[in-house]
Amino acid sequence: MKFKFKFIVFALILLALASKPVIAQKITLKEADALFKRFQYALALPAYQQLLKNQKPTLYLTRQIAECYRQLNQAKETEIWYNRVLQFPDAAPEALKYAADAARKNSHYEKAKQQYLQYGQRVPDQAGLANQLAAICDSAQLWLAQPQPYELQKPKGINSTNADFSPVIFQNNLVFTSDRPFGTSKKKNTSGWTGKPFPKLYLSIKKNDGQYEAPVPFDKNINNKYHNGSATFSPDSQTMYFTRIDQQKGGAVKTNTDPFSWVKFEANEDTYINRLEIFVSRKTNQGWSEPEPFPYNNPEVYSVGHPALSPDGETLYFVSDMPGGFGQTDIYYCTRQAGNRWSKPVNAGKVINTSGKESFPVVSPTGKLYFASEGHPGMGGLDIFEAEGAKANWKNLKNLKFPLNSPADDFGITFDETSEGGFLVSNRNSAEGTDDIYAFKLVQTRCTLAGKVVEHIPGTKGTFTDKPVTQVLIRFYAAGDTTALTTYSDAQGNFTFPVKSGATYTIKASKQGYLLNSTEITPTCGGEVEVFPVSIVLNRNALNNTIVLENIYYDFDKFDIRPEAMPELDKLVRILQDNPTIRIELGSHTDSRQTAAYNQRLSQLRAEAAVNYIISRGIAPERLIAKGYGETQLLNDCKDGVTCSELEHQINRRTVVRILSQ
């Protein structure tokens, strides 16, 4: 399934349908542009290609073809055609970013990195984003080289030559969405955007040998003539929530609030806007009841879709582009109230939601939230992320990395009863961007965890050296166990434990005179990996002692907490949780650029932002003090009037944590 189309139907994309879907043999540029403006990219593409055959390539035609391929999520052709766009001297800078995005989806990370950096140079106000995307290319290459311990394969008899996605396990069987041909009508139920049929829900029965029977359409009351899919079921299997399209006449709105491309919409009489709604159906003796609309559907204004129930059935998560969110599509939730009613929607918060698009939420049997995002750092297209918590309180956000994620689109993960296997959706290895369902399972090979306990000894210019800490009591817990294995660090600070790849463990390190430190790990073993290294830092429990964190970076001239800073602050949250009597000062320092007064104010705002983040994680405000030091404590000679490199200035931009009381 094409990436753009997924969002039209099940990631809150708005599809415009036109009344003239057929391309004449001899088409004019005006007619091709009309198809493009109506989002009928599957029809506009051959029209532009036909025009290009009869004339010398122009920037306009080349860009239109490139954009059709981009909207159809054909990454290989998108990269080729946007690189052709870049050969024109007047090409817009955005072509660099689109070419880089496609190169990243095609695993061409070095090329993508180069083009992102060029984009940042051409568009200075996007330099921060460009640098971040370039850094992501390095991370993605590392993840490919060090795969997580999972095996993936396509289950037999499930996938078609069309898009198959959004799997959910229902009574040990598989329910999923597909845009394979449905019924007898071919023309009426075909999308002009993709040229494929409208998606429907299908059921595949699991056989005794673990294989699946040929899929059949789900209940006739569920599949209407338009888009149906992305379902979730209550714990007792008696109620289902699913996504369905509602058509709105184009003349009723002034803007197409398409949350993928945010394109402007010019309303006319024969154009419709399609918005998503959630519907509810209950199981009866005759099948499934006539679906009823979710109380917070509002298709005249915005979409809601992709429902996902918590394991207890008391919280319903979904995706919407309703006003007031953090980005173009956000994850929201409602809680069950008295009388089996749902509370008003609440945003799941900025740990989950970004300025981009989040979609396809799933809650695993263990209560973790999984969702697809293009806004968090990922490998290329959509990536699957995991977070711990509930409702609007989340922590330990992480990318699932390769092979659960890939340079292509990966989304719609669902887990079986073991929580170590299940299904996900990906369009990897598909030239046309068509989605397939993959089965995955954890492969728990064994290796040795090789730990080392150190203390950071501060040096000059913000540096530090590691000193081994001996005779540290190490308590080692496997997930779900309350009894620990114990050992002590040796004279070099080393310790070992046998571990299984992919399993989760908690390590607690303690020694008199030091703060307790606990950490959670999920080792990766397999292949040539026989030893999994772990470093644990102990901080002395003494007044005015400094707790050393990796630097917490901010965007230039801003004080908002960036997503990559959150894991480092989460480490501090854990230290405060493990040591409930300490109070700390969180101090922020700037370099000497800008005025002293400006830097003082900026550093104070940054310190307060970090403290507010920690408070949002449940730490009492009275245990924290935010202190901005501005440029008053430089670590080198880079003061006003002294020429320094960016690296030298960066040494002075730091965050320091100091113990105020024990």
Side-chain angles (χ1 to χ4, degrees), residues 47 157 207 232 252 259 311 313 443 482 516 579 601 648 662:
K207 298 184 290 188
T232 187
V443 182
T482 56
L516 174 67
N579 303 272
R601 177 61 178 161
E648 289 172 316
Q662 300 167 276

PDB file of all heavy atoms in Angstrom, residues 47 157 207 232 252 259 311 313 443 482 516 579 601 648 662:
ATOM      1  N   ALA A  47      -0.416  10.744 -17.242  1.00  0.00           N
ATOM      2  CA  ALA A  47      -0.746  11.917 -18.053  1.00  0.00           C
ATOM      3  C   ALA A  47       0.484  12.806 -18.238  1.00  0.00           C
ATOM      4  O   ALA A  47       0.800  13.244 -19.350  1.00  0.00           O
ATOM      5  CB  ALA A  47      -1.876  12.702 -17.393  1.00  0.00           C
ATOM      6  N   GLY A 157      -0.345 -17.518   2.837  1.00  0.00           N
ATOM      7  CA  GLY A 157      -1.772 -17.418   2.580  1.00  0.00           C
ATOM      8  C   GLY A 157      -2.444 -16.146   3.030  1.00  0.00           C
ATOM      9  O   GLY A 157      -3.667 -16.008   2.898  1.00  0.00           O
ATOM     10  N   LYS A 207      -5.282 -22.291  11.727  1.00  0.00           N
ATOM     11  CA  LYS A 207      -5.479 -23.738  11.722  1.00  0.00           C
ATOM     12  C   LYS A 207      -4.668 -24.390  12.843  1.00  0.00           C
ATOM     13  O   LYS A 207      -3.826 -23.755  13.481  1.00  0.00           O
ATOM     14  CB  LYS A 207      -5.074 -24.304  10.361  1.00  0.00           C
ATOM     15  CG  LYS A 207      -5.921 -23.772   9.208  1.00  0.00           C
ATOM     16  CD  LYS A 207      -5.576 -24.421   7.886  1.00  0.00           C
ATOM     17  CE  LYS A 207      -4.217 -24.005   7.376  1.00  0.00           C
ATOM     18  NZ  LYS A 207      -3.952 -24.500   5.996  1.00  0.00           N
ATOM     19  N   THR A 232     -10.020  -2.794  16.346  1.00  0.00           N
ATOM     20  CA  THR A 232      -9.592  -3.277  17.649  1.00  0.00           C
ATOM     21  C   THR A 232     -10.791  -3.913  18.329  1.00  0.00           C
ATOM     22  O   THR A 232     -11.944  -3.537  18.048  1.00  0.00           O
ATOM     23  CB  THR A 232      -9.004  -2.142  18.507  1.00  0.00           C
ATOM     24  OG1 THR A 232      -8.441  -2.690  19.706  1.00  0.00           O
ATOM     25  CG2 THR A 232     -10.059  -1.117  18.885  1.00  0.00           C
ATOM     26  N   ALA A 252     -18.262  22.606   1.357  1.00  0.00           N
ATOM     27  CA  ALA A 252     -18.563  22.893   2.757  1.00  0.00           C
ATOM     28  C   ALA A 252     -17.336  23.338   3.534  1.00  0.00           C
ATOM     29  O   ALA A 252     -17.445  23.765   4.668  1.00  0.00           O
ATOM     30  CB  ALA A 252     -19.167  21.660   3.430  1.00  0.00           C
ATOM     31  N   PRO A 259      -3.487  15.942   6.752  1.00  0.00           N
ATOM     32  CA  PRO A 259      -2.404  15.974   7.730  1.00  0.00           C
ATOM     33  C   PRO A 259      -1.108  15.358   7.240  1.00  0.00           C
ATOM     34  O   PRO A 259      -0.161  15.287   7.983  1.00  0.00           O
ATOM     35  CB  PRO A 259      -2.974  15.164   8.900  1.00  0.00           C
ATOM     36  CG  PRO A 259      -3.920  14.220   8.253  1.00  0.00           C
ATOM     37  CD  PRO A 259      -4.493  14.943   7.078  1.00  0.00           C
ATOM     38  N   PRO A 311      -5.436  -3.208  27.437  1.00  0.00           N
ATOM     39  CA  PRO A 311      -5.758  -4.600  27.765  1.00  0.00           C
ATOM     40  C   PRO A 311      -6.994  -4.768  28.639  1.00  0.00           C
ATOM     41  O   PRO A 311      -7.699  -5.777  28.522  1.00  0.00           O
ATOM     42  CB  PRO A 311      -4.497  -5.096  28.482  1.00  0.00           C
ATOM     43  CG  PRO A 311      -3.400  -4.242  27.934  1.00  0.00           C
ATOM     44  CD  PRO A 311      -4.023  -2.896  27.716  1.00  0.00           C
ATOM     45  N   GLY A 313      -9.577  -2.748  28.497  1.00  0.00           N
ATOM     46  CA  GLY A 313     -10.715  -2.205  27.776  1.00  0.00           C
ATOM     47  C   GLY A 313     -11.231  -0.884  28.297  1.00  0.00           C
ATOM     48  O   GLY A 313     -12.260  -0.389  27.824  1.00  0.00           O
ATOM     49  N   VAL A 443      14.156 -14.147  19.035  1.00  0.00           N
ATOM     50  CA  VAL A 443      15.076 -15.286  19.059  1.00  0.00           C
ATOM     51  C   VAL A 443      16.033 -15.074  20.231  1.00  0.00           C
ATOM     52  O   VAL A 443      16.933 -14.235  20.165  1.00  0.00           O
ATOM     53  CB  VAL A 443      15.862 -15.410  17.740  1.00  0.00           C
ATOM     54  CG1 VAL A 443      16.770 -16.637  17.780  1.00  0.00           C
ATOM     55  CG2 VAL A 443      14.910 -15.498  16.559  1.00  0.00           C
ATOM     56  N   THR A 482      11.109 -11.232  41.488  1.00  0.00           N
ATOM     57  CA  THR A 482      11.304 -10.392  42.678  1.00  0.00           C
ATOM     58  C   THR A 482      12.560 -10.798  43.439  1.00  0.00           C
ATOM     59  O   THR A 482      12.991 -10.088  44.349  1.00  0.00           O
ATOM     60  CB  THR A 482      10.086 -10.495  43.606  1.00  0.00           C
ATOM     61  OG1 THR A 482       9.872 -11.874  43.943  1.00  0.00           O
ATOM     62  CG2 THR A 482       8.835  -9.941  42.924  1.00  0.00           C
ATOM     63  N   LEU A 516      22.456   5.270  45.009  1.00  0.00           N
ATOM     64  CA  LEU A 516      21.978   4.053  44.357  1.00  0.00           C
ATOM     65  C   LEU A 516      21.711   4.350  42.883  1.00  0.00           C
ATOM     66  O   LEU A 516      21.169   5.404  42.544  1.00  0.00           O
ATOM     67  CB  LEU A 516      20.703   3.562  45.038  1.00  0.00           C
ATOM     68  CG  LEU A 516      19.989   2.368  44.394  1.00  0.00           C
ATOM     69  CD1 LEU A 516      20.843   1.113  44.499  1.00  0.00           C
ATOM     70  CD2 LEU A 516      18.627   2.142  45.040  1.00  0.00           C
ATOM     71  N   ASN A 579      16.831   7.427  44.906  1.00  0.00           N
ATOM     72  CA  ASN A 579      17.384   8.108  46.092  1.00  0.00           C
ATOM     73  C   ASN A 579      16.402   9.189  46.534  1.00  0.00           C
ATOM     74  O   ASN A 579      16.608  10.384  46.266  1.00  0.00           O
ATOM     75  CB  ASN A 579      18.751   8.707  45.763  1.00  0.00           C
ATOM     76  CG  ASN A 579      19.740   7.676  45.258  1.00  0.00           C
ATOM     77  OD1 ASN A 579      20.439   7.040  46.033  1.00  0.00           O
ATOM     78  ND2 ASN A 579      19.799   7.496  43.938  1.00  0.00           N
ATOM     79  N   ARG A 601      19.088  35.050  30.956  1.00  0.00           N
ATOM     80  CA  ARG A 601      17.660  34.747  30.836  1.00  0.00           C
ATOM     81  C   ARG A 601      17.444  33.427  30.101  1.00  0.00           C
ATOM     82  O   ARG A 601      16.627  32.584  30.520  1.00  0.00           O
ATOM     83  CB  ARG A 601      16.951  35.887  30.099  1.00  0.00           C
ATOM     84  CG  ARG A 601      15.466  35.666  29.834  1.00  0.00           C
ATOM     85  CD  ARG A 601      14.686  35.495  31.108  1.00  0.00           C
ATOM     86  NE  ARG A 601      13.264  35.340  30.869  1.00  0.00           N
ATOM     87  CZ  ARG A 601      12.410  34.818  31.742  1.00  0.00           C
ATOM     88  NH1 ARG A 601      12.841  34.406  32.939  1.00  0.00           N
ATOM     89  NH2 ARG A 601      11.135  34.705  31.454  1.00  0.00           N
ATOM     90  N   GLU A 648      34.581  24.552  20.536  1.00  0.00           N
ATOM     91  CA  GLU A 648      35.002  25.226  21.777  1.00  0.00           C
ATOM     92  C   GLU A 648      33.822  25.911  22.446  1.00  0.00           C
ATOM     93  O   GLU A 648      33.697  25.895  23.678  1.00  0.00           O
ATOM     94  CB  GLU A 648      36.111  26.227  21.464  1.00  0.00           C
ATOM     95  CG  GLU A 648      37.435  25.568  21.094  1.00  0.00           C
ATOM     96  CD  GLU A 648      38.462  26.570  20.596  1.00  0.00           C
ATOM     97  OE1 GLU A 648      38.096  27.456  19.783  1.00  0.00           O
ATOM     98  OE2 GLU A 648      39.617  26.466  21.012  1.00  0.00           O
ATOM     99  N   GLN A 662      21.087  15.731  51.311  1.00  0.00           N
ATOM    100  CA  GLN A 662      20.992  14.282  51.267  1.00  0.00           C
ATOM    101  C   GLN A 662      19.745  13.780  51.975  1.00  0.00           C
ATOM    102  O   GLN A 662      19.482  12.620  52.019  1.00  0.00           O
ATOM    103  CB  GLN A 662      22.251  13.672  51.917  1.00  0.00           C
ATOM    104  CG  GLN A 662      23.535  14.084  51.213  1.00  0.00           C
ATOM    105  CD  GLN A 662      24.752  13.738  52.027  1.00  0.00           C
ATOM    106  OE1 GLN A 662      25.149  14.497  52.906  1.00  0.00           O
ATOM    107  NE2 GLN A 662      25.350  12.581  51.755  1.00  0.00           N
TER     108      GLN A 662
END
